[in-house]
């Protein structure tokens, strides 16, 4: 296990963390972002990727997933190292800053910006009889390239289920998509493509269907009151994502319920640790992307000054700089 140092360590790659990373890196600091999930974007990617968002400044009516794409684009060319599948678990004071431990590597930084939102948005565990008997049960959006040529059963109606079905079909997997309701969630374009794939025979859809149990060879379902066995090399159970603050819940941050109190500049009770976004108490009921952006801009500039006192807190105008 290695230790990696950066000027600033951001925890969480939702809109607050991504914008904080931008600002700190744009001020010339090295930034590392730790994200528990396999993809960045926080709630926008996990909970509502296909919904249109109307109140993000400058991007009216974009789908949430597109907002994330734009936030990432703003990091192009900046010194930001993004670590996905990495849960921050311990925080300790060290000389010159803070050390954050994960299940693997350890990260040190002069300042930490906490942008953990509602907590880790990790997949729900499968609650299906026989889940331990099947050799390849997964609960998160897969890397489609690794599943070409395999028989994949996808269970669930969340937007990721429809998207996974189409991506896996395109990658050459033999896909069966099943859900306990008749309707799947997703963008109109995704749902149109899904219907076209179904009528064109590219994949099979079984809905309404009840997943009864998994077997070593696949699954047993009830479809239209009749039992049906499906052979599957991989079973993908997409049941949504659960917020969990427990990995950072014991950090001495003077917690107020699910909030961390934030003073001027996003300061917390710990010197050199800042909080932004949905986790910051000052936002209160205003759990909004635009509020997260403003908090991130303020905290990142204070954190930059904390790490490099020769940098002024105020960033100046980006329009005046190259
Ligand atoms: C259905 C829905 C619709 C919404 N619509 C709108 C809207 O139209 N307009 C609007 O402004 N807002 C909307 N919101 C709210 C908006 O999504 C949130 O305010 C915003 O996502 C908060 O950003 P954040 O970065 O603070 O937190 P999050 O988006 O929650 O991101 C936090 C990230 O931190 C990661 N994380 C947490 N703990 C750890 C850890 N220990 N280690 C590593 N990573 C960790 C999580 O995995 C997550 O990716 C909506 C929310 C929902 C649920």
């Amino acid at each position: 296990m290695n230790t990696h140092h950066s000027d600033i360590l951001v925890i969480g790659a939702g809109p607050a963390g991504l914008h904080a990373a931008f600002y700190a890196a744009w001020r010339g600091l090295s930034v590392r972002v730790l994200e528990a999930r396999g993809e960045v974007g926080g709630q926008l990617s996990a909970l509502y990727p296909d919904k249109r968002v109307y109140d993000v400044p400058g991007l009216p009516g974009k789908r949430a997933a597109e907002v994330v794409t734009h936030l990432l684009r703003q990091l192009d060319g900046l010194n930001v190292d993004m670590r996905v599948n990495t849960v921050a678990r311990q925080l300790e004071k060290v000389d010159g800053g803070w050390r954050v431990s994960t299940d693997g590597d350890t990260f040190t930084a002069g300042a930490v910006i906490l942008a953990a939102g509602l907590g880790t948005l990790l997949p729900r565990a499968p609650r299906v009889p026989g889940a331990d008997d099947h050799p390849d049960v997964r609960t998160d959006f897969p890397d489609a390239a690794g599943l070409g040529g395999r028989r994949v059963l996808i269970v669930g109606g969340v937007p990721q289920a429809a998207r996974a079905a189409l991506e896996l079909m395109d990658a050459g997997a033999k896909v069966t998509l099943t859900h306990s309701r008749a309707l799947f969630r997703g963008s109109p374009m995704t749902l149109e493509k899904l219907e076209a794939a179904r009528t064109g025979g590219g994949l099979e859809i079984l809905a309404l269907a009840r997943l009864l149990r998994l077997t070593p060879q696949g699954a047993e379902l009830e479809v239209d009151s009749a039992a049906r066995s499906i052979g599957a090399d991989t079973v993908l159970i997409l049941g949504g994502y659960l917020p969990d603050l427990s990995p950072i819940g014991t950090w001495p941050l003077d917690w107020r319920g699910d909030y961390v109190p934030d003073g001027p500049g996003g300061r917390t009770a710990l010197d050199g640790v800042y909080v932004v976004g949905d986790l910051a108490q000052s936002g209160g009921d205003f759990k909004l992307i635009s509020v997260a952006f403003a908090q991130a801009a303020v905290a990142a500039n204070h954190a930059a000054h904390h790490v490099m006192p020769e940098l002024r807190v105020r960033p100046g105008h980006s329009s005046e700089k190259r």
Side-chain angles (χ1 to χ4, degrees):
M1 282 187 269
N2 298 315
T3 299
H4 309 269
H5 184 78
S6 57
D7 295 322
I8 305 274
L9 188 63
V10 178
I11 296 173
L18 291 175
H19 195 52
F22 161 76
Y23 241 115
W26 183 68
R27 293 297 305 270
L29 280 80
S30 61
V31 179
R32 185 163 286 114
V33 183
L34 308 185
E35 169 53 51
R37 289 167 43 73
E39 59 179 353
V40 304
Q43 293 167 51
L44 288 78
S45 304
L47 304 183
Y48 60 107
D50 294 307
K51 283 193 196 286
R52 290 196 181 274
V53 182
Y54 296 93
D55 54 350
V56 171
L59 294 174
K62 292 273 182 220
R63 290 189 309 113
E66 291 175 291
V67 174
V68 176
T69 303
H70 283 275
L71 285 168
L72 275 179
R73 196 171 293 157
Q74 206 160 13
L75 302 182
D76 280 353
L78 294 175
N79 189 359
V80 177
D81 177 35
M82 197 70 72
R83 301 284 172 110
V84 293
N85 295 314
T86 307
V87 179
R89 296 197 182 275
Q90 278 102 31
L91 177 76
E92 293 158 79
K93 185 87 183 96
V94 290
D95 268 356
W98 293 93
R99 176 166 50 219
V100 170
S101 309
T102 69
D103 294 331
D105 289 353
T106 297
F107 301 89
T108 57
V112 172
I113 300 178
L114 262 179
L118 306 177
T120 57
L121 296 164
L122 293 174
R124 289 170 195 272
R127 282 173 302 178
V128 185
D132 293 336
D133 300 334
H134 191 281
D136 188 15
V137 179
R138 306 184 190 195
T139 54
D140 207 354
F141 201 85
D143 175 12
L147 293 175
R150 289 174 74 84
R151 298 169 303 164
V152 182
L153 174 67
I154 304 174
V155 183
V158 294
Q160 287 86 351
R163 261 200 301 140
L166 291 169
E167 284 189 23
L168 292 173
M169 179 188 78
D170 289 344
K174 182 174 181 301
V175 175
T176 305
L177 174 62
T178 179
H179 184 32
S180 56
R181 297 192 185 157
L183 292 179
F184 289 89
R185 284 164 54 202
S187 71
M189 198 172 71
T190 302
L191 297 181
E192 264 172 40
K193 282 188 188 163
L194 194 66
E195 180 56 17
R198 185 187 70 80
T199 51
L203 51 75
E204 183 179 24
I205 295 182
L206 301 174
L208 313 161
R210 204 154 64 89
L211 176 61
L212 300 176
R213 67 186 59 82
L214 298 187
T215 63
Q217 296 75 31
E220 288 172 14
L221 302 162
E222 186 183 274
V223 188
D224 292 335
S225 308
R228 167 116 184 238
S229 289
I230 301 275
D233 307 309
T234 298
V235 179
L236 191 58
I237 301 181
L238 295 173
Y241 299 91
L242 273 182
D244 179 10
L245 281 169
S246 67
I248 59 168
T250 57
W251 295 10
L253 291 161
D254 193 20
W255 288 84
R256 299 296 145 106
D258 289 343
Y259 292 112
V260 172
D262 48 328
R267 287 187 189 87
T268 67
L270 304 176
D271 187 39
V273 178
Y274 299 80
V275 63
V276 294
D278 279 8
L279 187 62
Q281 189 183 20
S282 68
D285 289 340
F286 288 88
K287 287 193 172 60
L288 291 174
I289 298 162
S290 52
V291 172
F293 286 165
Q295 292 170 330
V298 172
N301 283 292
H302 277 83
H305 174 71
H306 177 85
V307 174
M308 286 189 191
E310 66 275 23
L311 282 183
R312 291 190 316 171
V313 174
R314 286 173 55 192
H317 294 143
S318 69
S319 53
E320 304 293 332
K321 298 181 196 289
R322 289 202 305 161

